[in-house]
Amino acid sequence: MKATKIILWLLGALFGLLALVVIYLLVAFDPNDYRQRIGEMVQEKTGLQLEIKGPMSWSLFPQFAITLEDVQAGYPDRPTVATLQHASVAMDVPALISGRLSLSGLMVDGLVLDLNRDKTGANNWDRPSAASSSPAARSTAEPGSQPASSASRSMALAIDDIDLQNVQVNYHDLQANQNIALGPVNLRASAIRLGQAFPLTLTLPLSVQADGKQAIQLGNKLQASMLLDPERQLYQLHDMDLLSTIDGVTRQSLLLEIKGDVDADLQQQQVRLPNLKLALNGMQGQLDATVKDLQKAPALLGSLQIAELNLRKWLSDIGMSVSLPDEKALTAASMATALMVDRQQLSLTNLTARLDESKISGSFQQPLNKGQTEFKLGIDQLNLDRYVASSASVATKPEASSSTTAAATAKTTSDAGYSKAPMLPVDALQGLNLRGSVQLGKLTYQQVAMSQVKFNVAAAAGKLVIDQASAQIAEGKVALKAQVDAQKVPLRNQLQFNVDHLALEQVQTLLGSTQPAVNGIGSMSGSLSMSGNSVFDWVNSLNGSAKANVTDGRLNNINLTQQICEGIAFANQETLTAAADSEHTRLTNASLQAQFNNGVAHIDSAQGQLVGASAKGSGQINLPQRQLDMGVGVIIEGDTSREACTINPKFQGLEWPLRCQGSLDGDPAKWCRPDKEGFTKTLTSLASNEAKRKAQKELNRALDKQSDKLSEKLGGDNAEAVKGLLQGLFKK
């Protein structure tokens, strides 16, 4: 009993002495007296200047707790790297002695990191070379240091509460003219135990600004149940709800919401994203994916689905104006695709999409670094008239009367009416790098129906090539190849085309003509080149050759046979008693060949077969000046009464000249008129021939009478011989 009392007395004295020591330390030891020494030690070890301006407080038992206020750090002669308003931590000492890290609380408020890079590329957070070569610094890097023991790595962790408030990270890069701001970050978590799920709330605003442009701002808020299990290398976010607002991308704010689970297994080197629910301003989607091979070559593999939505309304809601000819266009859109993303590219395969009545399928690959975009698309049907305004509707829009609009119009048009406005985005073409193919079952444009449309397109190093392009149009077929070279100034453009059995009126409608000049079935081919980047440039630099053939055709508003009738009537000083039944010229067959030289089409051979007549001509069409000048010769070969008038058979077989001149913008009915001088010569020649014919007829009659008299005197055989001799003499 006595020994027990002695032991208890000794233990009591020991604890009493320990209590006195603690009291002494708390009363007599003031950590504020060591603020300068702490700063000196930090600078000796790291080269970093640490200044604790605010008060420090601490406690030892049963928890070791320390509080700091108003702290800043940075390297000498450089902008401050970090500032801290308040921080406190409370640690369970008995738990630490037993090998467990147990914090009752960790609080950080007002931590700001300012990371600056100047125009020379120097960073304010980089350790100065002198500090990094100091003996203290070298001692930390010498090979004698031992790695942390397995016991320390496996130390149990327990934190009752973490509270991070107003944490800010600012990055200013003067060299790249870029600013990034992260924060203020706020994080709350409680009951944190390794291997057990705990609640987590995080707000993480982000702002990115480059080249002085409008900043892109993201406001992120995350709520989830988080699990940290370093022993099994498992990290999970369950029941995740991430809400992000995005500003600076569109006129209106974007609201992105992601719900679901994220499971990271570092032993398997993968992250699972099972059935994440996505929503972007009402656009609903689902992502089911796995990120594999995290360390060596991370790649995301999975599928993405976008539910059907009214795309027109969605675009309007985010501030993008939509003006389309069809008010019901873009009202139904959806997509589903297999997805692969790695360090090199984004790949969409087994892509299926719907746009209104159109069904789209194919694949798409986009390199994330420098490389070539590749795509292959198939579309069952597409009516472009629902999405693109027709040229006719654009042309009939009323002109603005303001002087500003008039001046702008004057700058973009020439005297002949050709626009000088740029047609192709040169900068985009110069940087374009892609290869792809498109096939459409049915295509409608400018009310022209096409089928079996397909083409290949390739662009690289400033050159755009459209190859193997073909389409079925109005029971005809069109094939073409086009090339644009944007590397050269001015642009160089080439076009090769072949058209077979095509309805010409539809072609002219497709080209914007509201009054087709020629109807019929046509075949055309040619090779053309041009330079520049406007309609004015193209017309004035058009070179090459083309040929065309028309069957079952018609020249609208031009009746060549009627012009012959009027010419003959004029030459005979007569008046036509009736107008022609038709204002047009029917062509059973016609062909021409043209050589283009700086926009002027030189036509050396043009031939046509009309009803009861044929025609041939030559001349030129000056596209820059929009003028026509051609000589046409019409030969009457049969009955023309149904086309214009009845022409005396004696006029058949003769070439009747017409002169076709005028503006291409004028009335085609006024283009062609009889060549009066030519008609007069033809009629004079005809009259001379007719007089000779009549004189010969009278001569033959007189000779016949004389031969009858001679036959009575000379006898039959001798009379015939003399008659032949006389006729031969008079014919000479």
Side-chain angles (χ1 to χ4, degrees), residues 333-356:
S334 61
M335 186 191 75
T337 182
L339 176 68
M340 191 281 287
V341 184
D342 59 19
R343 292 173 177 173
Q344 283 74 40
Q345 70 174 7
L346 162 68
S347 177
L348 305 180
T349 56
N350 297 324
L351 170 67
T352 60
R354 179 187 172 190
L355 180 63
D356 299 323

Side-chain angles (χ1 to χ4, degrees), residues 77-394:
D77 302 324
R78 292 186 183 179
T80 300
V81 175
T83 59
L84 174 66
Q85 292 182 3
H86 176 86
S88 63
V89 60
M91 182 184 303
D92 189 339
V93 176
L96 183 62
I97 295 174
S98 64
R100 294 182 294 109
L101 179 59
S102 178
L103 304 181
S104 61
L106 173 63
M107 179 179 179
V108 176
D109 186 10
L111 174 62
V112 179
L113 299 178
D114 286 313
L115 309 178
N116 299 318
R117 172 174 291 170
D118 62 22
K119 293 183 178 180
T120 65
N123 304 318
N124 72 327
W125 67 88
D126 285 341
R127 190 173 184 176
S129 57
S132 62
S133 61
S134 65
R138 288 197 304 269
S139 65
T140 61
E142 289 176 354
S145 59
Q146 297 294 327
S149 65
S150 60
S152 64
R153 289 197 301 268
S154 61
M155 178 180 289
L157 175 66
I159 304 176
D160 292 338
D161 187 64
I162 292 180
D163 188 3
L164 304 182
Q165 298 181 17
N166 302 315
V167 176
Q168 185 85 25
V169 179
N170 301 317
Y171 174 72
H172 306 283
D173 190 339
L174 296 180
Q175 193 175 48
N177 193 18
Q178 185 181 53
N179 296 314
I180 300 176
L182 179 65
V185 177
N186 296 301
L187 182 147
R188 286 295 306 271
S190 59
I192 302 169
R193 303 292 185 271
L194 295 182
Q196 299 179 19
F198 59 89
L200 172 71
T201 301
L202 173 67
T203 58
L204 192 71
L206 176 65
S207 175
V208 179
Q209 184 179 32
D211 298 326
K213 298 179 181 178
Q214 180 182 1
I216 298 176
Q217 298 179 343
L218 289 83
N220 304 303
K221 184 176 182 180
L222 172 68
Q223 289 184 336
S225 175
M226 188 173 191
L227 181 141
L228 304 175
D229 193 341
E231 185 174 351
R232 293 188 298 165
Q233 299 189 53
L234 295 178
Y235 303 90
Q236 299 175 347
L237 286 175
H238 283 186
D239 300 325
M240 177 184 66
D241 189 351
L242 173 62
L243 191 63
S244 178
T245 58
I246 306 171
D247 293 299
V249 177
T250 58
R251 294 180 180 178
Q252 301 294 331
S253 297
L254 298 177
L255 182 62
L256 173 65
E257 187 172 10
I258 303 176
K259 292 184 177 182
D261 300 334
V262 178
D263 298 328
D265 187 340
L266 299 188
Q267 285 186 345
Q268 299 295 325
Q269 286 294 297
Q270 69 176 20
V271 177
R272 283 278 296 121
L273 307 172
N275 300 320
L276 288 183
K277 305 297 182 182
L278 311 176
L280 181 63
N281 285 65
M283 178 187 291
Q284 303 293 327
Q286 179 173 304
L287 174 66
D288 187 357
T290 300
V291 182
K292 297 184 176 181
D293 202 0
L294 295 177
Q295 286 187 337
K296 295 181 179 179
L300 183 146
L301 303 172
S303 62
L304 175 66
Q305 295 181 353
I306 304 296
E308 183 174 315
L309 80 157
N310 187 328
L311 186 57
R312 188 189 191 102
K313 182 179 182 301
W314 186 84
L315 291 172
S316 177
D317 290 343
I318 64 174
M320 299 180 67
S321 60
V322 179
S323 178
L324 300 177
D326 187 350
E327 294 183 355
K328 295 183 179 180
L330 298 183
T331 56
S334 61
M335 186 191 75
T337 182
L339 176 68
M340 191 281 287
V341 184
D342 59 19
R343 292 173 177 173
Q344 283 74 40
Q345 70 174 7
L346 162 68
S347 177
L348 305 180
T349 56
N350 297 324
L351 170 67
T352 60
R354 179 187 172 190
L355 180 63
D356 299 323
E357 287 78 24
S358 301
K359 295 180 180 179
I360 306 169
S361 61
S363 61
F364 175 84
Q365 289 82 38
Q366 173 64 48
L368 300 182
N369 299 314
K370 292 183 179 180
Q372 188 174 69
T373 301
E374 297 184 3
F375 62 89
K376 184 177 182 180
L377 297 177
I379 306 174
D380 66 336
Q381 59 177 337
L382 179 62
N383 186 349
L384 281 178
D385 291 338
R386 300 185 64 187
Y387 309 97
V388 181
S390 66
S391 58
S393 64
V394 173

Side-chain angles (χ1 to χ4, degrees), residues 481-501:
K481 178 180 179 180
Q483 177 176 307
V484 178
D485 189 349
Q487 280 188 324
K488 300 178 180 179
V489 179
L491 271 65
R492 298 289 188 267
N493 311 295
Q494 295 182 352
L495 175 65
Q496 298 176 6
F497 62 92
N498 186 66
V499 178
D500 185 32
H501 200 77

